[in-house]
Amino acid sequence: ESQPVVFRPKAQLLSLFGEQNISDQAVGLIELVKNAYDADATRVEIELLGLASPDTTTIMLCDNGFGMTHEDVEQKWLSPATDYKERQKKASQRTPLGRLPIGEKGVGRFATQQLGHKLQMISRSARSPEVVVQVNWDDFDREDAYLDEITIFLYEREPVLFTEGATGTLLLIEQARTVWTEPLIAKVQRALRRLQSPHQGPNAIDFQITFRCPDFPAYQDISSSDILAHAHYTFEGVVTKVGLLDYEYSCHHPAVPERFVAEDNYDLLPAAKHEMFAASNNNAGPFYLNFYVWDRSLEYLHQSGVSRADLDAMAGISIFRDRLRVLPYGC
């Protein structure tokens, strides 16, 4: 006669999930910034200290979002693969600031694990005590440990960090898993610079990121670049939900006569495709296209006031929703 068997996953399973979802430190930091965005933060501060050695490295990320309660931490943050964000997206349920979630299932907690060995998280929601979480990720690396044997400290206290009604979350990650080299810091800067759309316009989202790294101060500036205004060729358009394109094309190459072309209602789909779209009752909405192209010859870049280093830092394809980049799409 068969007997019920209790399934006891090894603690190392969590480490494997982290390795699969977080490819490097830059990706990990971006995931944490995305979590702050989903929490309606308008300000995120990132600080990297003591980069000479992994043992002395401290990574701090603090936001002023709506924070978490004890229940939120226990039922969501400490429950990988919780799909509440996915349900919000499918239901088009926006936050009080009108944002759709961009974070993935549980990736943020894996990011903290991949960034360092120890984590202290302090969070406070409106009209609630502060919640403190302390995790030693090394406990999850023990070959003989099971998940139900790991101890995580979670408790409430009177507000110490988020006082006078303030809300938000602080992540303090210590003992980095790798050396933060200059190329890695440069990659972080590039990722942060490309996170927000350069086309903010009058309805720009209220979401500011600051980056402090005293060991490599040259990379602390993450403001968006102005090189788009110096592109040799530009193509800007909007595609409607039925596949019609309104576009403007212009040429500003120093060695070519200036040219401007515009057209409305350019049909991108053959008749058969239109019938297929109508039959599928698709929910696709309109989207914008913006292409910026440069002739990388040094002579012409110099005349336009742009360097190859500028282009290398910002080059690639990015997809934005609500003016924030949707990762991992693009390059």
Side-chain angles (χ1 to χ4, degrees):
E1 182 178 351
S2 63
Q3 297 293 326
V5 178
V6 176
F7 179 68
R8 298 181 68 207
K10 282 289 190 74
Q12 286 182 321
L13 184 65
L14 209 62
S15 298
L16 293 176
F17 285 158
E19 293 172 3
Q20 292 176 358
N21 286 280
I22 306 298
S23 57
D24 60 35
Q25 287 71 22
V27 172
L29 274 181
I30 293 300
E31 288 299 331
L32 297 178
V33 172
K34 288 163 59 177
N35 279 357
Y37 175 88
D38 290 346
D40 268 356
T42 59
R43 185 182 70 254
V44 183
E45 300 172 2
I46 303 171
E47 191 169 25
L48 303 180
L49 301 172
L51 305 188
S53 166
D55 289 339
T56 61
T57 296
T58 299
I59 303 163
M60 185 192 74
L61 188 143
C62 187
D63 70 59
N64 66 340
F66 45 63
M68 291 181 285
T69 63
H70 187 287
E71 183 181 14
D72 291 332
V73 173
E74 189 170 3
Q75 298 186 6
K76 297 176 183 178
W77 200 90
L78 291 176
S79 299
T82 302
D83 64 348
Y84 72 98
K85 286 189 179 181
E86 194 65 30
R87 294 198 302 268
Q88 279 184 267
K89 292 184 204 178
K90 290 181 179 179
S92 297
Q93 179 183 347
R94 293 182 177 266
T95 66
L97 290 185
R99 302 175 183 175
L100 276 176
I102 60 172
E104 302 298 331
K105 296 179 181 178
V107 174
R109 67 186 62 82
F110 295 138
T112 64
Q113 178 203 25
Q114 291 301 100
L115 288 171
H117 293 270
K118 298 183 184 301
L119 165 70
Q120 182 179 57
M121 180 173 70
I122 303 171
S123 189
R124 186 191 182 199
S125 184
R127 297 176 295 279
S128 298
E130 277 186 352
V131 181
V132 181
V133 182
Q134 294 175 330
V135 184
N136 183 351
W137 293 116
D138 289 345
D139 292 341
F140 292 85
D141 294 332
R142 300 197 334 254
E143 294 183 1
D144 61 340
Y146 290 88
L147 279 176
D148 59 358
E149 298 173 340
I150 303 299
T151 299
I152 293 177
F153 294 95
L154 168 63
Y155 60 92
E156 294 181 336
R157 71 184 186 190
E158 287 297 313
V160 175
L161 179 65
F162 299 100
T163 58
E164 299 180 358
T167 63
T169 300
L170 168 71
L171 298 171
L172 187 64
I173 303 166
E174 298 177 295
Q175 299 179 15
R177 293 187 180 271
T178 189
V179 177
W180 283 77
T181 61
E182 184 172 356
L184 181 55
I185 298 298
K187 184 175 183 179
V188 169
Q189 183 203 37
R190 181 173 185 264
L192 291 172
R193 292 180 73 181
R194 295 184 62 191
L195 187 60
Q196 296 191 57
S197 170
H199 300 283
Q200 293 292 325
N203 297 318
I205 58 174
D206 187 10
F207 187 63
Q208 301 298 319
I209 307 170
T210 59
F211 179 50
R212 184 170 180 268
C213 183
D215 292 82
F216 299 100
Y219 298 97
Q220 294 183 141
D221 182 9
I222 58 172
S223 57
S224 59
S225 174
D226 63 352
I227 65 171
L228 300 185
H230 304 285
H232 295 148
Y233 309 93
T234 64
F235 182 96
E236 300 177 341
V238 58
V239 179
T240 69
K241 65 181 299 182
V242 295
L244 300 179
L245 169 66
D246 298 342
Y247 73 87
E248 295 180 350
Y249 162 80
S250 57
C251 168
H252 304 287
H253 195 289
V256 179
E258 290 208 2
R259 185 183 178 208
F260 178 81
V261 178
E263 184 174 348
D264 291 340
N265 296 321
Y266 180 86
D267 199 342
L268 297 172
L269 299 173
K273 292 292 185 181
H274 279 292
E275 294 175 2
M276 183 186 303
F277 263 56
S280 67
N281 192 28
N282 76 89
N283 294 319
F287 61 91
Y288 294 93
L289 289 171
N290 296 277
F291 296 99
Y292 301 90
V293 182
W294 286 263
D295 181 338
R296 291 176 64 91
S297 302
L298 288 177
E299 175 187 358
Y300 300 131
L301 288 179
H302 180 71
Q303 291 183 42
S304 300
V306 178
S307 69
R308 285 181 177 174
D310 292 333
L311 292 183
D312 292 342
M314 300 300 293
I317 300 172
S318 299
I319 300 175
F320 299 94
R321 187 189 72 204
D322 294 340
R323 299 180 179 86
L324 204 72
R325 189 176 179 192
V326 181
L327 296 167
Y329 308 108
C331 61

